[in-house]
Amino acid sequence: VSWKRVAIPLAGLPVVALLAYGLTRDATLVPSPLPGRPAPDFAMSALSGDSVRLADLRGQVVLLNFWASWCLPCLQEHPLLVAADERWREQGLRIVGVVYQDSPGNARDWLRERGGEWVHGLDPGSRLAIEYGLFGVPETFFIDRAGVIRYKHVGPLTADVVSTWVTRLLADSSAAAPDTTPSSAQPRSRGAS
Amino acid sequence: VTRAARGAGAKRALVALFLAVGRAGPAVAQAAVPPADSAAPIDSAIARDTALERRTAEIAARLRCPVCQGLSILDSPSELAQNMRRLVRDQLAAGRTPAEIEAYFINSYGEWVLLKPPARGANLTVWLLPGLLLLGGGWVVWVAVRRWVRQGAAGGGGSAGTAVPEAGSPQGGAVAAVLPATLPELQARRDALRRALSELDAELADGELTRENYDLLKRRDETELAAVRAALKQRRAPPAAAARPQPAARPRRRVPPAVMWGGGIVAFGVVAVISLRGSVATRTGDNPMTGIQFGGGDEPAPAIGAPIDAAQLASLEGRVARDSNDYAALLELGHLYLRQQRMQPAAVVSIRAIQLRPRAKESGEGFAHLAMILWSSSDVEPALQAIEQALQLDPNQPEALLYKGIILFAGANDPAGAVSAWERYLEVAPPGAETARVRGMLEAARQQAR
């Protein structure tokens, strides 16, 4: 049997395999280099008028959520954030919203209707968004007690993602948690009451 | 933090500058700036800005816009791309090198953010594959052509033997005697001979046959094949045609698959090299399209308002360079800079114009420019103050009314205020390109005001 009859189709095989593999991938999803790295620090003025600094939140688990009032998926994930805030705040979860390409007025109105009493930073010029490699909203970063980004979620959050990461990071004691560390006697859920 | 603060610093200085002009009044402002006859500060400010602008564009052309498909942040009109361009410009102004700025973006977005990834690691595939394909295709073609030539030489030498054997010739008769009789048998024999011939080639290439044996076997098979073909043709052809003497029909040469493959791969390689070269090339501001522009470069998509006339810009800059007191040129230049989003020089020339004639009706336009500059850095309150200054000088200043509506609508969440500003704008402004856009915005504001 001629080797060419086998070799020529075989040479094409890797190309076809590569293309076939490419079809299974979503080109719009780009792996972020950020997870595993220290979260870039920020100091933003907040919607409420005060300011918020990431360095001040060291020792807490931070859920950094980029959102906008014009963003429909943000609407979808918002109740999850409200519930997470109620449920885990006392155990050391701090949600920080970042208003992305939106006016403070619109953001305030949106929050007034839907709740969300955690701090919301303003990001004029999208500086922080760019530093966090944002593609759009909503995007959420889970930052552990040591200030390291552990996970980045693109798109609306799901209950699974929130509870998995928040409980994992809250339980992670590798970073020295300050005095706010809850004792195990504390109720696990306040949301149920 | 420090980076953001540095960027904000420049804007804060701008606000302070504006407040000095606007609040403290023209007299104080005039005292605070160099005398009117020295063009040098404006000149050097513009020159510095032009160079900065060019360097910004160079870097921006290499960075990928996160919210677009394959566009650089130079080409994209999206808000995020604009903000990224501004960030590049601010970092350049702060003295960072292009490499540092690229590293900053890679740090956030990964290497993905570079439209032309560095040629190392897995990326090398993109650089090497076209070349390898080209070499491979060239090799295949070379081998095929060599074989062709050899076949041609062999065929030429023995054309009498391989051509259709003439009836009556001893060789032809001998072959014809052993030929199968029925059509399907003939076809099967023809296919078998074709297979045998291509296997001969392979066996020669593999060294399993000596040259002499190969030639012998090949000639034998080719002769028989030609006879079989002739017999087939005779059976298929209508009797009349069969009766006519056949012109010496040489066996039809089929394009060998190796040549098809080789040609295809070479063609693919050539297309790939040309288009890849075009698509990874860094574009300049004059040619703001990623990839090759096929079919005559159409005019670029119109930005907001009419496109900037480069000649007009240059002539205005020339007028200001010659005479820094050219009031009309300063105002018009401020307008063009503003449209190009070049806030720093727009502020310089607009403030200059206001200082020259603080109470002139036309200076309202200068204040309107300042308002837009302030608004671009999210300083809503000072921006609205500048608008009020503009409207005090000229209550019907169209630009001031247009910007007032924009700031009230988008910045101060006051759609009702925006509606009245834009309604007034439509009354006083000459109908132009902006009119339709304002009507659209007005409609949106009216709905929101309800």
Side-chain angles (χ1 to χ4, degrees):
Chain A
V1 174
S2 159
W3 63 272
K4 276 185 200 165
R5 301 206 159 200
V6 183
I8 291 180
L10 274 186
L13 213 60
V15 179
V16 173
L18 192 70
L19 293 176
Y21 171 69
L23 286 177
T24 66
R25 310 246 308 157
D26 185 348
T28 59
L29 290 182
V30 182
S32 168
L34 288 168
R37 291 219 218 125
D41 195 15
F42 54 76
M44 296 180 283
S45 51
L47 267 187
S48 55
D50 4 315
S51 65
V52 50
R53 275 168 49 94
L54 182 62
D56 295 343
L57 299 172
R58 185 61 55 86
Q60 325 264 0
V61 170
V62 175
L63 192 157
L64 186 67
N65 174 245
F66 288 83
W67 68 279
S69 69
W70 46 261
C71 146
L72 282 177
C74 301
L75 205 63
Q76 183 187 331
E77 70 173 11
H78 192 69
L80 285 173
L81 291 173
V82 175
D85 187 49
E86 270 192 23
R87 181 168 170 191
W88 287 296
R89 168 171 280 276
E90 295 203 343
Q91 297 171 51
L93 174 69
R94 291 290 173 271
I95 302 183
V96 176
V98 182
V99 181
Y100 174 76
Q101 293 185 359
D102 202 352
S103 76
N106 288 345
R108 250 181 234 117
D109 290 349
W110 195 88
L111 287 170
R112 199 173 298 132
E113 275 177 47
R114 294 168 184 90
E117 265 132 54
W118 53 90
V119 65
H120 295 274
L122 297 171
D123 184 23
S126 305
R127 296 286 161 125
L128 192 66
I130 294 168
E131 187 143 22
Y132 273 81
L134 214 71
F135 286 89
V137 276
E139 280 187 23
T140 307
F141 295 83
F142 293 81
I143 302 170
D144 69 13
R145 294 185 197 270
V148 174
I149 296 177
R150 297 286 293 276
Y151 177 64
K152 172 189 177 178
H153 187 84
V154 178
L157 289 163
T158 63
D160 238 17
V161 166
V162 175
S163 70
T164 306
W165 280 99
V166 170
T167 49
R168 183 181 299 175
L169 296 189
L170 283 173
D172 189 356
S173 52
S174 64
D179 47 356
T180 52
T181 314
S183 70
S184 56
Q186 249 170 333
R188 251 183 69 78
S189 168
R190 299 198 315 130
S193 60
Chain B
V1 185
T2 47
R3 280 187 207 111
R6 218 173 288 153
K11 272 158 196 161
R12 226 163 279 137
L14 199 60
V15 177
L17 188 57
F18 158 70
L19 291 179
V21 176
R23 271 208 198 117
V28 179
Q30 206 120 35
V33 297
D37 51 24
S38 84
I42 298 184
D43 242 14
S44 64
I46 292 173
R48 221 180 311 125
D49 183 76
T50 308
L52 180 64
E53 214 55 44
R54 208 184 47 240
R55 290 167 63 210
T56 303
E58 271 168 22
I59 297 175
R62 297 203 292 264
L63 296 174
R64 190 196 293 262
C65 159
V67 294
C68 320
Q69 302 291 328
L71 275 185
S72 75
I73 62 170
L74 178 67
D75 301 341
S76 166
S78 75
E79 190 171 343
L80 186 58
Q82 284 179 32
N83 285 330
M84 288 170 84
R85 283 203 298 271
R86 205 166 293 153
L87 190 61
V88 170
R89 189 183 310 149
D90 289 352
Q91 294 200 357
L92 274 177
R96 280 164 192 273
T97 66
E100 282 172 338
I101 295 170
E102 277 182 7
Y104 172 81
F105 281 96
I106 291 171
N107 198 39
S108 303
Y109 284 97
E111 225 165 53
W112 173 92
V113 84
L114 298 179
L115 278 169
K116 183 178 182 175
R120 58 162 187 263
N123 296 342
L124 273 176
T125 325
V126 179
W127 269 261
L128 297 184
L129 207 58
L132 288 178
L133 286 179
L134 207 61
L135 284 178
W139 177 76
V140 170
V141 168
W142 185 66
V143 167
V145 166
R146 213 177 45 165
R147 184 186 304 159
W148 255 359
V149 169
R150 209 176 285 138
Q151 269 176 2
S159 75
T162 53
V164 182
E166 277 150 51
S169 84
Q171 199 187 21
V175 172
V178 297
L179 281 184
T182 66
L183 192 62
E185 280 175 322
L186 273 172
Q187 281 165 343
R189 184 71 196 143
R190 180 195 59 192
D191 295 340
L193 283 167
R194 276 191 192 147
R195 267 198 306 279
L197 275 167
S198 68
E199 273 169 22
L200 276 181
D201 283 341
E203 278 163 18
L204 176 71
D206 289 351
E208 292 170 24
L209 266 181
T210 66
R211 186 84 230 171
E212 282 159 16
N213 284 340
Y214 169 80
D215 283 340
L216 203 71
L217 291 169
K218 189 176 163 104
R219 188 161 309 174
R220 189 199 64 186
D221 286 349
E222 273 176 352
T223 309
E224 196 187 344
L225 180 61
V228 170
R229 282 214 178 107
L232 274 170
K233 203 166 190 174
Q234 248 168 11
R235 283 185 185 233
R236 286 199 190 117
R244 254 192 291 135
Q246 296 276 326
R250 291 196 296 158
R252 195 198 292 164
R253 196 160 285 156
R254 317 176 90 242
V255 182
V259 174
M260 307 261 273
W261 274 90
I265 290 174
V266 169
F268 174 79
V270 168
V271 170
V273 166
I274 291 174
S275 53
L276 276 177
R277 200 179 50 81
S279 57
V280 300
T282 303
R283 299 279 141 177
T284 58
D286 303 334
N287 192 6
M289 256 284 252
T290 305
I292 302 171
Q293 262 179 308
F294 294 106
D298 288 290
E299 68 217 66
I304 296 167
I308 301 274
D309 182 351
Q312 190 196 1
L313 186 68
S315 109
L316 284 170
E317 282 178 345
R319 275 169 66 186
V320 171
R322 277 192 300 279
D323 176 10
S324 68
N325 293 338
D326 191 335
Y327 179 72
L330 283 169
L331 278 183
E332 189 56 27
L333 198 53
H335 185 70
L336 291 187
Y337 282 147
L338 192 60
R339 291 236 317 269
Q340 287 183 315
Q341 304 258 320
R342 292 164 64 180
M343 299 308 178
Q344 211 82 34
V348 169
V349 294
S350 299
I351 289 175
R352 179 72 172 180
I354 293 169
Q355 285 165 350
L356 284 174
R357 298 171 64 182
R359 306 213 178 278
K361 203 175 161 196
E362 290 78 18
S363 289
E365 194 189 332
F367 278 108
H369 294 160
L370 287 185
M372 220 42 196
I373 294 162
L374 291 162
W375 155 244
S376 77
S377 55
S378 304
D379 295 305
V380 176
E381 275 311 309
L384 284 172
Q385 284 173 23
I387 291 288
E388 288 319 309
Q389 297 259 3
L391 294 176
Q392 260 175 32
L393 291 172
D394 178 4
N396 291 333
Q397 218 293 314
E399 262 185 278
L401 289 167
L402 171 64
Y403 296 158
K404 183 179 183 179
I406 291 175
I407 296 168
L408 286 178
F409 185 59
N413 202 20
D414 178 7
V419 167
S420 62
W422 282 332
E423 277 172 348
R424 180 124 192 95
Y425 170 85
L426 290 175
E427 282 169 27
V428 300
E434 293 287 303
T435 318
R437 195 165 74 95
V438 173
R439 286 227 171 82
M441 294 193 296
L442 183 58
E443 205 41 57
R446 276 193 184 126
Q447 279 184 4
Q448 205 166 321
R450 243 175 252 145

mmCIF file with all atom_site columns, all heavy atoms in Angstrom, chain B residues 308-320:
data_model
loop_
_atom_site.group_PDB
_atom_site.id
_atom_site.type_symbol
_atom_site.label_atom_id
_atom_site.label_alt_id
_atom_site.label_comp_id
_atom_site.label_asym_id
_atom_site.label_entity_id
_atom_site.label_seq_id
_atom_site.pdbx_PDB_ins_code
_atom_site.Cartn_x
_atom_site.Cartn_y
_atom_site.Cartn_z
_atom_site.occupancy
_atom_site.B_iso_or_equiv
_atom_site.pdbx_formal_charge
_atom_site.auth_seq_id
_atom_site.auth_comp_id
_atom_site.auth_asym_id
_atom_site.auth_atom_id
_atom_site.pdbx_PDB_model_num
ATOM 1  N N   . ILE B 1 308 ? -14.082 65.851 10.475 1.00 0.00 ? 308 ILE B N   1
ATOM 2  C CA  . ILE B 1 308 ? -13.166 66.971 10.672 1.00 0.00 ? 308 ILE B CA  1
ATOM 3  C C   . ILE B 1 308 ? -12.383 67.184 9.379  1.00 0.00 ? 308 ILE B C   1
ATOM 4  O O   . ILE B 1 308 ? -11.850 66.243 8.804  1.00 0.00 ? 308 ILE B O   1
ATOM 5  C CB  . ILE B 1 308 ? -12.187 66.646 11.809 1.00 0.00 ? 308 ILE B CB  1
ATOM 6  C CG1 . ILE B 1 308 ? -12.946 66.376 13.097 1.00 0.00 ? 308 ILE B CG1 1
ATOM 7  C CG2 . ILE B 1 308 ? -11.181 67.770 11.971 1.00 0.00 ? 308 ILE B CG2 1
ATOM 8  C CD1 . ILE B 1 308 ? -13.286 67.553 13.905 1.00 0.00 ? 308 ILE B CD1 1
ATOM 9  N N   . ASP B 1 309 ? -12.349 68.436 8.946  1.00 0.00 ? 309 ASP B N   1
ATOM 10 C CA  . ASP B 1 309 ? -11.586 68.764 7.756  1.00 0.00 ? 309 ASP B CA  1
ATOM 11 C C   . ASP B 1 309 ? -10.158 69.071 8.184  1.00 0.00 ? 309 ASP B C   1
ATOM 12 O O   . ASP B 1 309 ? -9.882  70.078 8.835  1.00 0.00 ? 309 ASP B O   1
ATOM 13 C CB  . ASP B 1 309 ? -12.247 69.984 7.090  1.00 0.00 ? 309 ASP B CB  1
ATOM 14 C CG  . ASP B 1 309 ? -11.531 70.355 5.807  1.00 0.00 ? 309 ASP B CG  1
ATOM 15 O OD1 . ASP B 1 309 ? -10.453 69.787 5.557  1.00 0.00 ? 309 ASP B OD1 1
ATOM 16 O OD2 . ASP B 1 309 ? -12.064 71.199 5.075  1.00 0.00 ? 309 ASP B OD2 1
ATOM 17 N N   . ALA B 1 310 ? -9.229  68.169 7.806  1.00 0.00 ? 310 ALA B N   1
ATOM 18 C CA  . ALA B 1 310 ? -7.843  68.312 8.262  1.00 0.00 ? 310 ALA B CA  1
ATOM 19 C C   . ALA B 1 310 ? -7.230  69.607 7.734  1.00 0.00 ? 310 ALA B C   1
ATOM 20 O O   . ALA B 1 310 ? -6.464  70.270 8.436  1.00 0.00 ? 310 ALA B O   1
ATOM 21 C CB  . ALA B 1 310 ? -7.018  67.112 7.811  1.00 0.00 ? 310 ALA B CB  1
ATOM 22 N N   . ALA B 1 311 ? -7.596  69.965 6.488  1.00 0.00 ? 311 ALA B N   1
ATOM 23 C CA  . ALA B 1 311 ? -7.023  71.176 5.911  1.00 0.00 ? 311 ALA B CA  1
ATOM 24 C C   . ALA B 1 311 ? -7.487  72.405 6.690  1.00 0.00 ? 311 ALA B C   1
ATOM 25 O O   . ALA B 1 311 ? -6.697  73.316 6.987  1.00 0.00 ? 311 ALA B O   1
ATOM 26 C CB  . ALA B 1 311 ? -7.433  71.297 4.442  1.00 0.00 ? 311 ALA B CB  1
ATOM 27 N N   . GLN B 1 312 ? -8.772  72.391 7.038  1.00 0.00 ? 312 GLN B N   1
ATOM 28 C CA  . GLN B 1 312 ? -9.311  73.517 7.790  1.00 0.00 ? 312 GLN B CA  1
ATOM 29 C C   . GLN B 1 312 ? -8.614  73.617 9.143  1.00 0.00 ? 312 GLN B C   1
ATOM 30 O O   . GLN B 1 312 ? -8.247  74.706 9.598  1.00 0.00 ? 312 GLN B O   1
ATOM 31 C CB  . GLN B 1 312 ? -10.818 73.314 7.972  1.00 0.00 ? 312 GLN B CB  1
ATOM 32 C CG  . GLN B 1 312 ? -11.513 74.537 8.534  1.00 0.00 ? 312 GLN B CG  1
ATOM 33 C CD  . GLN B 1 312 ? -12.887 74.211 9.073  1.00 0.00 ? 312 GLN B CD  1
ATOM 34 O OE1 . GLN B 1 312 ? -13.312 73.057 9.051  1.00 0.00 ? 312 GLN B OE1 1
ATOM 35 N NE2 . GLN B 1 312 ? -13.581 75.196 9.569  1.00 0.00 ? 312 GLN B NE2 1
ATOM 36 N N   . LEU B 1 313 ? -8.406  72.459 9.760  1.00 0.00 ? 313 LEU B N   1
ATOM 37 C CA  . LEU B 1 313 ? -7.746  72.417 11.056 1.00 0.00 ? 313 LEU B CA  1
ATOM 38 C C   . LEU B 1 313 ? -6.341  73.009 10.944 1.00 0.00 ? 313 LEU B C   1
ATOM 39 O O   . LEU B 1 313 ? -5.934  73.863 11.741 1.00 0.00 ? 313 LEU B O   1
ATOM 40 C CB  . LEU B 1 313 ? -7.679  70.971 11.543 1.00 0.00 ? 313 LEU B CB  1
ATOM 41 C CG  . LEU B 1 313 ? -7.143  70.754 12.955 1.00 0.00 ? 313 LEU B CG  1
ATOM 42 C CD1 . LEU B 1 313 ? -8.100  71.302 13.980 1.00 0.00 ? 313 LEU B CD1 1
ATOM 43 C CD2 . LEU B 1 313 ? -6.904  69.276 13.205 1.00 0.00 ? 313 LEU B CD2 1
ATOM 44 N N   . ALA B 1 314 ? -5.639  72.568 9.896  1.00 0.00 ? 314 ALA B N   1
ATOM 45 C CA  . ALA B 1 314 ? -4.261  73.048 9.729  1.00 0.00 ? 314 ALA B CA  1
ATOM 46 C C   . ALA B 1 314 ? -4.242  74.551 9.486  1.00 0.00 ? 314 ALA B C   1
ATOM 47 O O   . ALA B 1 314 ? -3.396  75.268 10.033 1.00 0.00 ? 314 ALA B O   1
ATOM 48 C CB  . ALA B 1 314 ? -3.597  72.313 8.570  1.00 0.00 ? 314 ALA B CB  1
ATOM 49 N N   . SER B 1 315 ? -5.194  75.042 8.681  1.00 0.00 ? 315 SER B N   1
ATOM 50 C CA  . SER B 1 315 ? -5.171  76.465 8.363  1.00 0.00 ? 315 SER B CA  1
ATOM 51 C C   . SER B 1 315 ? -5.498  77.291 9.614  1.00 0.00 ? 315 SER B C   1
ATOM 52 O O   . SER B 1 315 ? -4.905  78.345 9.846  1.00 0.00 ? 315 SER B O   1
ATOM 53 C CB  . SER B 1 315 ? -6.134  76.754 7.209  1.00 0.00 ? 315 SER B CB  1
ATOM 54 O OG  . SER B 1 315 ? -7.266  77.469 7.655  1.00 0.00 ? 315 SER B OG  1
ATOM 55 N N   . LEU B 1 316 ? -6.425  76.775 10.435 1.00 0.00 ? 316 LEU B N   1
ATOM 56 C CA  . LEU B 1 316 ? -6.752  77.500 11.668 1.00 0.00 ? 316 LEU B CA  1
ATOM 57 C C   . LEU B 1 316 ? -5.559  77.508 12.611 1.00 0.00 ? 316 LEU B C   1
ATOM 58 O O   . LEU B 1 316 ? -5.247  78.526 13.239 1.00 0.00 ? 316 LEU B O   1
ATOM 59 C CB  . LEU B 1 316 ? -7.955  76.849 12.355 1.00 0.00 ? 316 LEU B CB  1
ATOM 60 C CG  . LEU B 1 316 ? -9.311  77.136 11.709 1.00 0.00 ? 316 LEU B CG  1
ATOM 61 C CD1 . LEU B 1 316 ? -10.378 76.256 12.326 1.00 0.00 ? 316 LEU B CD1 1
ATOM 62 C CD2 . LEU B 1 316 ? -9.672  78.603 11.867 1.00 0.00 ? 316 LEU B CD2 1
ATOM 63 N N   . GLU B 1 317 ? -4.872  76.356 12.689 1.00 0.00 ? 317 GLU B N   1
ATOM 64 C CA  . GLU B 1 317 ? -3.704  76.302 13.563 1.00 0.00 ? 317 GLU B CA  1
ATOM 65 C C   . GLU B 1 317 ? -2.639  77.279 13.070 1.00 0.00 ? 317 GLU B C   1
ATOM 66 O O   . GLU B 1 317 ? -1.967  77.935 13.866 1.00 0.00 ? 317 GLU B O   1
ATOM 67 C CB  . GLU B 1 317 ? -3.149  74.869 13.621 1.00 0.00 ? 317 GLU B CB  1
ATOM 68 C CG  . GLU B 1 317 ? -3.965  73.980 14.544 1.00 0.00 ? 317 GLU B CG  1
ATOM 69 C CD  . GLU B 1 317 ? -3.486  72.532 14.585 1.00 0.00 ? 317 GLU B CD  1
ATOM 70 O OE1 . GLU B 1 317 ? -2.699  72.132 13.704 1.00 0.00 ? 317 GLU B OE1 1
ATOM 71 O OE2 . GLU B 1 317 ? -3.910  71.801 15.498 1.00 0.00 ? 317 GLU B OE2 1
ATOM 72 N N   . GLY B 1 318 ? -2.537  77.387 11.753 1.00 0.00 ? 318 GLY B N   1
ATOM 73 C CA  . GLY B 1 318 ? -1.590  78.342 11.177 1.00 0.00 ? 318 GLY B CA  1
ATOM 74 C C   . GLY B 1 318 ? -1.956  79.772 11.551 1.00 0.00 ? 318 GLY B C   1
ATOM 75 O O   . GLY B 1 318 ? -1.096  80.570 11.940 1.00 0.00 ? 318 GLY B O   1
ATOM 76 N N   . ARG B 1 319 ? -3.246  80.095 11.448 1.00 0.00 ? 319 ARG B N   1
ATOM 77 C CA  . ARG B 1 319 ? -3.681  81.458 11.790 1.00 0.00 ? 319 ARG B CA  1
ATOM 78 C C   . ARG B 1 319 ? -3.372  81.782 13.240 1.00 0.00 ? 319 ARG B C   1
ATOM 79 O O   . ARG B 1 319 ? -2.892  82.868 13.571 1.00 0.00 ? 319 ARG B O   1
ATOM 80 C CB  . ARG B 1 319 ? -5.180  81.597 11.531 1.00 0.00 ? 319 ARG B CB  1
ATOM 81 C CG  . ARG B 1 319 ? -5.515  81.940 10.088 1.00 0.00 ? 319 ARG B CG  1
ATOM 82 C CD  . ARG B 1 319 ? -6.986  81.811 9.813  1.00 0.00 ? 319 ARG B CD  1
ATOM 83 N NE  . ARG B 1 319 ? -7.790  82.797 10.560 1.00 0.00 ? 319 ARG B NE  1
ATOM 84 C CZ  . ARG B 1 319 ? -9.120  82.792 10.559 1.00 0.00 ? 319 ARG B CZ  1
ATOM 85 N NH1 . ARG B 1 319 ? -9.781  81.879 9.870  1.00 0.00 ? 319 ARG B NH1 1
ATOM 86 N NH2 . ARG B 1 319 ? -9.786  83.698 11.247 1.00 0.00 ? 319 ARG B NH2 1
ATOM 87 N N   . VAL B 1 320 ? -3.630  80.815 14.119 1.00 0.00 ? 320 VAL B N   1
ATOM 88 C CA  . VAL B 1 320 ? -3.381  81.061 15.540 1.00 0.00 ? 320 VAL B CA  1
ATOM 89 C C   . VAL B 1 320 ? -1.879  81.174 15.811 1.00 0.00 ? 320 VAL B C   1
ATOM 90 O O   . VAL B 1 320 ? -1.433  81.975 16.630 1.00 0.00 ? 320 VAL B O   1
ATOM 91 C CB  . VAL B 1 320 ? -4.013  79.940 16.395 1.00 0.00 ? 320 VAL B CB  1
ATOM 92 C CG1 . VAL B 1 320 ? -3.573  80.056 17.842 1.00 0.00 ? 320 VAL B CG1 1
ATOM 93 C CG2 . VAL B 1 320 ? -5.521  80.021 16.299 1.00 0.00 ? 320 VAL B CG2 1
#
